[in-house]
């Protein structure tokens, strides 16, 4: 019987791209076609209702529930015109995914029939079962009530026949059970704090917006091959598999020509994403074979997070139409790069960007320096928390693997910005604050135009790098909800800015009566107060600044000397959420209380345990039911060959002729015995860990006792893959999984 693996590989190579019909309009004409945008609000809502909604969205005004019925009526009218029959509250529970419960637009008419109806009450809130989502003990199984509440700042959209309403998700007792609620609180906190600081430089500033531009990396695998790998299907990654002779070492995939089938998938994905208002901008091949990236234009942070969660769902749907499966696991294949989700973060006011330099005046450059330094203060004070915000069982495989940022949070600024901060720290207060504009580079080729060179290089080993007008948080994982990192980062920045403003105000009062700061005698008390506080902070946060190679062993030792968090154990890293400094910060800013933080950590530990538990069970099953039977079958074949050779040839000659086969037979016997022993030890280690009541200690046991056994088993399986006859090996190999075209 022919090996199923060969059938699916052959079928994969025969597949042709699915034809994708483009809309007749230009992208700008069908962009947000399926979104209840401001234009549609203006069309379907009364003028006074529209103006109130805009005030809520733009200025954070309190939502007047009295207008909810009018808004619901307008939404339904638009939905009816688009063939919509159902609605759902779309939210983001603590599962790294999204959730939705669809209800039809129908109610009893009181006369034995039904009417189609959508009221403001149904728009504003629903009651999903809160006991069936991870809650970390906030809700017991028998306590089912929870509420989803409409977030009007993220627009409603249509998928298929359903009106999707972005919402927060909270428990009956008010605790957040999702990512959106604390994210909105963190964004509010940084808005308040950053606006107060901005007014030191420009009294006209009314609000500060957090911007986010994510870069989504992912792998594509042929669906037939995916279905032939139980580990991929059940865990999202390959638990075994020897390196392909050729993988990424030639650097020929990165930015290479996009394969035809993949291009067709990308084209359809972009069309449906654009119709849902996701501003797709960039697509390209990534470093590893069959790895790709999609990136949008920057958006307001809350909306960007919603769009990323929506996009990951769309990717999976569209990929299947094209005969692919999307892999969002951070490390689906050993030996090649894993996938991240770089989160480009910045702040902007209603009058301009805060992290953009150079400015036209010394005051603008001082404002730039202030927000750079206070962001560094935030990262320095809470570097362990920021690491905890991006850590997971899956991302732990990627971080620090000489392909992604190390599991130590530091910040790269580049030469020019570093020199500016050094200048502020050491120079006289009266010295001008200057940043050079972009340099021009002229090439010795007359047909090539001159290039504008940025003020800073880029450091791919830095987890938190300044890249010109933003910071790039590069350590976020591919399948993660960006909100986790954004909650921690924005909270930390809000705390740093609040503390900065308090200290500046105290200095201003202290300096106000000094004659040298009197009007007309030079710089003001405010200027000197800002400089003095900045100097203190530049010195304080200097340990977080690192422009060198984050992959080096020397950096690990140096980071520990600097007092940075160098912990590598994922379950232990989660402890940073419960540090006094973290709890005080989240509670003082009204983002999360101790109970919510403790509950989230319980969820994180439990999720970690379950993921490793599933992987261990799958690996044990594949070892005993796939690998060992195949290996012993080949061993038997070789043994029969040895026996037959000895019957045919004289003893000495037979020994020479069968030496290689005997060696392989022996190696198979040794490795299968080791695998069987290790699988038994793996099962016992799981049993011991499962008896631990504390979720934290259980997760640590899985990290310390279970995971190492899995790595040992994999080592021996990968060695067997190299010696067992290819025709017998049932699982698609890396050379097949990674090079489908």
């Amino acid at each position: 019987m022919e090996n199923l693996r060969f059938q699916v590989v052959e079928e994969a190579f025969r597949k042709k791209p699915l034809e994708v019909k483009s809309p007749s309009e230009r992208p700008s004409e069908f962009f947000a076609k399926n979104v209840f945008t401001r234009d549609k609000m203006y069309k379907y809502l009364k003028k006074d209702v529209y103006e109130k909604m805009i005030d809520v969205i733009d200025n954070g005004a309190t939502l007047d529930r009295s207008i909810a019925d009018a808004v619901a009526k307008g939404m339904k009218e638009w939905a009816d015109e688009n063939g919509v029959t159902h609605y759902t509250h779309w939210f983001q529970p603590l599962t790294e995914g999204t959730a939705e419960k669809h209800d039809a637009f129908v109610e009893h008419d009181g006369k034995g029939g039904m009417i189609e109806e959508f009221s403001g009450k149904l728009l504003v809130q629903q009651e999903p079962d809160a006991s069936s989502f991870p809650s970390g003990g906030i809700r017991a199984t028998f306590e089912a009530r929870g509420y989803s509440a409409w977030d009007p700042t993220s627009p409603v959209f249509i998928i298929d026949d359903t009106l999707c309403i972005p919402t927060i998700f909270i428990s009956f007792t008010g605790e957040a059970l999702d990512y959106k609620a604390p994210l909105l609180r963190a964004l509010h906190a940084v808005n308040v704090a950053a606006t107060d600081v901005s007014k030191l430089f420009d009294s006209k500033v009314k609000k500060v917006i957090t911007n986010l531009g994510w870069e989504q990396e992912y792998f594509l695998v042929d669906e037939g091959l995916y279905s032939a790998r139980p580990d991929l299907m059940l865990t999202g990654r390959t638990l075994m598999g020897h390196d392909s002779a050729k993988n990424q070492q030639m650097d020929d995939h990165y930015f290479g020509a996009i394969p035809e089938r993949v291009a067709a998938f990308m084209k359809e994905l972009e069309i449906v994403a654009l119709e849902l208002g996701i501003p797709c901008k960039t697509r390209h091949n990534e470093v590893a074979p069959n790895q790709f990236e999609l990136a949008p234009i920057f958006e307001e942070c809350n909306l960007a997070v919603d769009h990323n969660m929506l996009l990951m769902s769309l990717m999976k749907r569209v990929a299947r139409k094209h005969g692919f499966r999307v892999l969002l696991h951070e490390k689906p294949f050993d030996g090649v790069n894993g996938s991240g989700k770089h989160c480009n973060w910045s702040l902007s006011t209603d009058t301009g960007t805060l992290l953009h330099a150079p400015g036209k005046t010394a005051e603008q450059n001082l404002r730039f320096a202030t927000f750079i330094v206070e962001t560094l203060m935030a990262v320095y004070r809470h570097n362990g928390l920021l690491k905890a915000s991006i850590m997971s069982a899956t991302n732990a495989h990627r971080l620090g693997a000489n392909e992604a940022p190390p599991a130590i949070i530091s910040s790269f600024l580049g030469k020019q910005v570093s020199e500016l901060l050094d200048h502020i720290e050491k120079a006289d207060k009266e010295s001008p604050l200057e940043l050079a504009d972009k340099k021009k580079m002229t090439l010795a080729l007359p047909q090539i135009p001159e290039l504008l060179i940025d003020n800073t290089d880029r450091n791919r080993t830095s987890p938190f790098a300044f890249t010109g007008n933003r910071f790039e948080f590069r350590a976020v994982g591919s399948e993660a909800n960006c909100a986790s990192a954004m909650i921690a980062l924005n909270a930390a920045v809000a705390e740093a800015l609040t503390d900065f403003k308090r200290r500046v105000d105290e200095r201003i009062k202290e300096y106000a009566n000094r004659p040298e700061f009197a009007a007309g005698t030079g710089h003001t008390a405010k200027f000197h107060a800002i400089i003095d506080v900045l100097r203190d902070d530049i010195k304080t946060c200097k340990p977080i600044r690192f422009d060198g190679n984050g992959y080096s062993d020397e950096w690990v030792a140096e980071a520990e000397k600097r007092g940075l968090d160098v912990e590598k154990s994922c379950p232990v890293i989660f402890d940073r959420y419960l540090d006094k400094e973290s709890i005080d910060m989240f509670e003082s800013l009204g983002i999360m209380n101790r109970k919510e933080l403790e509950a989230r950590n319980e969820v994180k530990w439990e999720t970690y345990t379950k993921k490793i538990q599933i992987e261990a069970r799958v690996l044990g099953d594949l070892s005993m039911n796939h690998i060992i039977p195949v290996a012993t079958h080949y061993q038997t074949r070789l043994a029969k060959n040895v026996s037959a050779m000895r019957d045919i040839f004289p003893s000495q000659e037979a020994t020479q002729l069968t030496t290689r086969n005997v060696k392989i037979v022996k190696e198979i016997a040794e490795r299968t015995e080791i695998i069987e022993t290790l699988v038994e030890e793996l099962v016992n280690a799981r049993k011991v860990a499962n008896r631990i009541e504390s979720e934290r200690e259980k997760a640590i046991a899985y990290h310390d006792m279970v995971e190492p056994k899995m790595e040992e088993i994999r080592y021996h399986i990968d060695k067997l893959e190299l010696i067992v006859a290819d025709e017998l090996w049932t699982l698609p190999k890396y050379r097949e999984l990674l090079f489908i075209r």
Side-chain angles (χ1 to χ4, degrees), residues 49-63:
V49 174
Y50 169 80
E51 289 174 349
K52 288 181 179 178
M53 282 296 300
I54 296 302
D55 193 28
V56 170
I57 296 168
D58 287 348
N59 304 316
T62 302
L63 178 64

Side-chain angles (χ1 to χ4, degrees), residues 98 114 122 154 171 186 229 248 374 422 472 482 547 589 611 706:
T98 59
M114 302 193 84
L122 298 176
S154 185
S171 73
R229 289 287 307 226
Q248 67 186 47
E374 294 315 308
D422 292 341
E472 184 179 16
C482 304
D547 291 357
L589 295 171
K611 287 196 173 183
V706 176

Side-chain angles (χ1 to χ4, degrees), residues 7 16 105 117 190 336 504 555 578 592 630 682:
Q7 295 178 31
K16 301 296 182 184
F105 288 126
E117 183 178 88
V190 82
V336 299
V504 167
W555 167 233
L578 301 180
M592 286 184 281
V630 167
L682 181 69

